[in-house]
Amino acid sequence: MTVILNQSFTGISIGAVLLLIALGLTLTFGQMGVINMAHGEFIMTGAYTTYVLQKSISNAGVSLLVALPVAFLVAGAMGALLEWLLIRRLYTRPLDTLLVTWGVSLMLQQLARDVFGAPNVQTHAPDLLTGNISMGGVTFASSRLFILGLALLSVLALTIVLRLTPLGRRIRAVVQNRDLAEVSGIATGRVDRVTFFIGSGLAGVAGVALTLVGPIGPTMGTNYIVDAFLVVVVGGIGQLKGSVLTAFALGVLQSVLEYSTTVSVAKVIVLVAIVAFLQWRPQGLYTLRTRSLA
Amino acid sequence: MSGLSISRRGLLAGISAVGASAALSACGAKTGEGSSTDAAGASADTSGSTVKVGLLNSLSGTMAISEVTVHNALLLAIKEINAAGGVLGKKLKAVSQDGASDWPTFAEKAEALIKDDKVAATFGCWTSASRKAVKPVFERYKSPLFYPVQYEGLEESPYIFYIGATTNQQIVPALDYLKKQGLTKLYLVGSDYVFPRTANKIIKAYAKAKGMTVVGEDYAPLGSTEFGTIVNKVKDSGADAVFNTLNGDSNVAFFKEYKSSGLTAKSMPVLSVSIAEEEVKSIGTQYLQDQLTAWNYYETTPGAANTKFVAAYQAEYGKDKPTSDPMEAAYISVYLWKAMVEKAGSFDVAKVKAASDGITFDAPEGKVTVDGASQHVYKTARIGKVGADGLITEVWNSGGPIKPDPYLKGYDWASGLS
């Protein structure tokens, strides 16, 4: 029984990481149709931001908390800059965004290598997050609980912004009908930029969380980018609830399969399952049917 | 006029013929059917006052982290040898080629070093994949490669000198050590490629013969950062210790997960064979403290030769730069080659090879001797413990150099391995 509980928690924590990295993509890929290969590098930006902050703030806990908003702003600003420089010229050519942002991603990796060096760096997690909480034989790693909380909080914040604020209404209007939105007096160009800012900023937040899990390096983003796209595609493009559900489902599926087979076999089975699922439901778990997006 | 009118079919045939012959010649160059002129053109040029030696390391890409340190150690040895008068009165000139962490590139660069630069010897490679890629090149041109990293054994090449440990100088002593500590139930965790899988095959054969049990075995893809399930399995397995053959970045994620799941070096020690001082630094000492490693050399290994090596390295590259086992092996490989050349009195490869048996060197790891038959080196095995300062201190050694046995012929339990 404890094995099942332990594994379920592992699955949920894998799901939380997936959700965090996919959340930004739900906006930029899902809602705006931009295949942003540089999303992984915005994650990397968030992670390096955490690293830089920890160099100046010695208290690990404080620096982690400061890193969350700062990484959001830094990665967000980079995303907005990318949107302004390149992507806004390519909204009608989604496949070109793939090539362009892939080039940008390679440049950002090289930049990171020049600035921080090729070897990976690491941050010190606050003591509170290196331990675990044990309950009835089940071990909850504190860092994983923190990431889970962060993921749920991010979903909540994004939902509130999309559903309840004027900005959210404008974003949804632009996504559904750009021309009509423009005619109604919405500055669609600015809405695009803000949407990209939020999506990229969320990647930065994911980067902060990932410093608790693995190494910080120039290519760390590439490890996650495929998984992130999978979550968004399977969840249904542009569907927040689809991404949330898919992330946790894939996390649990992955961890259950890993336990009964091996890591590599589990990855293969998950991919096959995804292909089969998309044959059956090419549009993903949820589709854009109503006017509501989130 | 008629000479210029070519039918479309004829044109296509012509183009494809050109393409095919180009492809064929490219294949020939890669897979080894070199013509006699190639081999003749490949002989080392030692006529001038300098002799070129090739350095073949990944200076970019995912392996650069480790291989740049090896490159640095090679350059240091060459600089020292030149300052002391060179080899047979000739100064060495290092020609560096970047293998770029890409195995076909390694093969191309190896060929360029031998054919274009006419190097007398080449030093380098790290991963087994890169070594396997260049092996036919060095064999075809009959040019020597000095390989500095511990590896999975079960290989011999007449043109490769293996200066790092083979399995009976690292993995087998590590198992002996664990057994002596009463840690007999092992969990094997490794990256999913040739070295860990071969190493674990050997470990399982050993365990079966010596009354140890392997309670679990798991592989993660290279670069994988999700170890929640593996650590859960390890925790539930009731193992006494983990034998870790993970490579590279995955170690960071693995040890972070290990610590946060509540496992410690006390409750279940991890013995790693691919984590040296440089890796300890990048993974983070707090995650590795008191865990075990198996190597032939540590920065803390006592002895005048090592004190001199560490001081020289840090004077060249910075006070905070650690030295490690593969760096040390790279450093001594140049000295061993020098001793072979001087004993042979010639740079001629056949004579150098013939002179190699019994060459000794007072290395930072202690005295090493070349075994001419296998072209491996007698090395002392050392188990170390990671300290709070990130350095590794020895807790056990084999008491003296162990004869290299790449095919484990001297071990009954290993008879089924190949």
Side-chain angles (χ1 to χ4, degrees), chain A residues 3 6-7 10 14 119-120 122 124 130-132 139 141 144 211-215 223-224 255 258-259 261 263-264, chain B residues 65 192 219 221 223 225-226 228-230 232-233 235-236 249 252-253 256-257 259-262 281-284 286:
Chain A
V3 171
N6 266 326
Q7 267 316 99
T10 301
I14 294 176
N120 290 332
Q122 22 85 40
H124 300 283
T130 57
N132 58 63
T139 317
R144 298 295 188 160
T211 63
L212 298 170
V213 179
N223 293 340
Y224 295 102
S255 75
E258 271 181 22
Y259 201 86
T261 61
V263 181
S264 305
Chain B
I65 296 173
D192 206 351
Y219 299 93
T225 52
E226 191 50 73
T229 304
I230 290 184
N232 274 350
K233 279 187 181 178
K235 208 175 169 188
D236 295 338
D249 290 0
V252 182
K256 280 192 172 179
E257 196 73 49
K259 188 173 182 203
S260 64
S261 80
K281 224 176 108 185
S282 76
I283 292 168
Q286 72 270 37

Side-chain angles (χ1 to χ4, degrees), chain A residues 209-232:
Chain A
L210 287 178
T211 63
L212 298 170
V213 179
I216 305 169
T219 56
M220 65 182 289
T222 50
N223 293 340
Y224 295 102
I225 187 79
V226 173
D227 287 344
F229 272 108
L230 282 183
V231 168
V232 177

Side-chain angles (χ1 to χ4, degrees), chain B residues 136-405:
Chain B
V137 178
F138 285 97
E139 287 172 357
R140 170 155 36 97
Y141 290 106
K142 301 188 178 9
S143 181
L145 168 72
F146 286 76
Y147 176 67
V149 186
Q150 52 83 234
Y151 80 116
E152 69 279 2
L154 309 179
E155 182 182 299
E156 272 180 24
S157 164
Y159 292 95
I160 300 180
F161 283 92
Y162 302 80
I163 312 299
T166 183
T167 47
N168 80 310
Q169 298 165 319
Q170 184 190 30
I171 289 172
V172 175
L175 290 166
D176 288 340
Y177 175 79
L178 291 175
K179 188 162 181 278
K180 233 178 314 178
Q181 304 295 309
L183 305 168
T184 56
K185 281 192 278 180
L186 300 183
Y187 203 105
L188 313 181
V189 178
S191 297
D192 206 351
Y193 76 110
V194 53
F195 166 67
R197 283 196 180 264
T198 314
N200 286 347
K201 228 164 57 181
I202 294 169
I203 293 170
K204 281 185 284 184
Y206 177 101
K208 206 172 155 198
K210 306 265 180 145
M212 289 172 93
T213 0
V214 172
V215 294
E217 180 181 4
D218 260 302
Y219 299 93
L222 264 178
S224 169
T225 52
E226 191 50 73
F227 281 91
T229 304
I230 290 184
V231 169
N232 274 350
K233 279 187 181 178
V234 169
K235 208 175 169 188
D236 295 338
S237 69
D240 298 328
V242 176
F243 203 105
N244 168 25
T245 46
L246 288 171
N247 251 39
D249 290 0
S250 296
N251 277 302
V252 182
F254 173 70
F255 280 102
K256 280 192 172 179
E257 196 73 49
Y258 204 75
K259 188 173 182 203
S260 64
S261 80
L263 291 167
T264 63
K266 224 182 202 126
S267 64
M268 200 189 289
V270 181
L271 190 146
S272 311
V273 290
S274 299
I275 295 178
E277 285 82 348
E278 188 72 33
E279 286 78 15
V280 170
K281 224 176 108 185
S282 76
I283 292 168
T285 312
Q286 72 270 37
Y287 297 104
L288 280 168
Q289 199 174 337
D290 294 332
Q291 299 289 15
L292 300 167
T293 64
W295 288 105
N296 306 103
Y297 165 88
Y298 298 111
E299 186 176 335
T300 56
T301 299
N306 187 34
T307 314
K308 199 176 133 233
F309 170 58
V310 173
Y313 188 82
Q314 294 185 339
E316 191 80 16
Y317 298 106
K319 268 272 155 259
D320 58 332
K321 297 286 186 231
T323 57
S324 69
D325 182 293
M327 289 162 61
E328 190 259 3
Y331 174 81
I332 67 174
S333 69
V334 188
Y335 277 99
L336 288 172
W337 172 74
K338 171 180 185 275
M340 291 175 200
V341 170
E342 284 170 350
K343 187 175 160 196
S346 161
F347 289 98
D348 181 76
V349 176
K351 288 179 189 156
V352 168
K353 271 167 53 66
S356 68
D357 191 40
I359 293 282
T360 65
F361 181 66
D362 188 15
E365 65 178 271
K367 192 174 151 183
V368 296
T369 310
V370 176
D371 175 45
S374 65
Q375 299 196 154
H376 285 61
V377 174
Y378 286 73
K379 293 170 86 80
T380 306
R382 293 186 161 89
I383 306 296
K385 196 176 245 187
V386 179
D389 54 359
L391 290 178
I392 306 174
T393 39
E394 184 180 304
V395 292
W396 175 88
N397 71 54
S398 58
I402 303 171
K403 181 181 161 67
D405 186 3

